[in-house]
Amino acid sequence: MIEVLKGVRVIEQGTFITGPAAGMMLADLGADVVKVEQPETGDPFRAFRGGLYSPHFQTYNRNKRSVTLNPKVAEDLEVFDDLIRGADVYIQNFRPGAAERLGAGEARLREINPRLIYCAISGFGATGPASGRPAYDTVAQAASGFLGLLINPGNPRVVGPAIADALTGYYAAYGILGALYERERTGHGRKVEVSMLEAMSHFNLDAFTHYFAQNEVMGPYSRPSVSQSYVVKCGDGKWIALHMSSPEKFWQGLANAIGLPDMLKDERYGTRESRIQNQEAIMELLSDRFKSRTRAVWCERLEAEDVPHAPMYDTSEALEDPQARHLQIAVTGQHPVLGAFTTVRSPVSFDGQRPLTVTAAPLLGEHNEAVRAELTARLGK
């Protein structure tokens, strides 16, 4: 693993997903991320079946160290301040005003360390009429206009993973990296702020651009219609996804694969515009053809014709695909207490070297002694 952020020290006081996701992104690049947690309970995301090591917590806290500190206790606050003195970055995702009440506001921490990059993540921003409202993933998706692009009008229900939470953390890491780069030139730290509403609005940029440029309000089927995307069920009950786009060669390849080489001579399917207008008819046609063979057979036929496709895997299948195995997307490691674990590695490689080394999410307070010993050695306390 090439640690491009080796030597960068991050103090993360994050909970749930947004703050921890930002810390994980930096840790995956080699930063030393120390997660500061409440004694006994830690990050609320830890709680799971009577224990403190949930899959949710593991997802966003690998490659970190954990220390437990109660800032209301003078001795612990002194340790926290010592951590800040040697830090490059501090991350929190409290509601606006909470950090100040905990003694972790920007003004106080910058007095301790003027070069600190201070990252504050919120739901709706630090100021404004909604700044004090609670925000979770679905709330941010809805407020940004993104959720409306995912909901099936025929079966309206929230679907999918915590996109807003994770993306907000990734945007925060992006801002932190920019601030770190600038500090190399100026020597000054910055306050990096990002809210879930702002992050998801930016991620939803395509829909807003269509509205600004064409006064078009996109719906859940707008992009799939224009991109000519489909999912079809095969004879064995498994599914395939197709993203046909515009090139005629892809459509001719599909026509050949399904045994209808003259399909494009039909005026309903002969041009991009006609295919978009007749998407429902194409869906019925594909549904009828694909139910005649298994997914494996259809994948062979589609690949032979160079048609853009993929099996619609579930999580038990996806990383067993030969290409995923070749890329070594699933990696294993060894926790000193809990033993072997498997996770998905960082997607970023440097100079052809894949990041195959990973450490497990820490147990609560796992690194209390080690971190305190480092502070003693560094500060002589």
Side-chain angles (χ1 to χ4, degrees), residues 20 44 77 105 112 118 124 131 145 166 176-177 180 222 246 301 311 331 347-349 379:
L77 183 60
I112 298 171
Y118 186 102
F124 288 99
S131 61
I176 290 167
L177 290 173
L180 283 170
S222 300
S246 301
R301 294 171 72 100
V331 295
V348 181
S349 298
L379 301 174

Side-chain angles (χ1 to χ4, degrees), residues 14-26:
T15 59
F16 295 105
I17 296 179
T18 56
M24 183 193 72
M25 294 294 285
L26 302 177

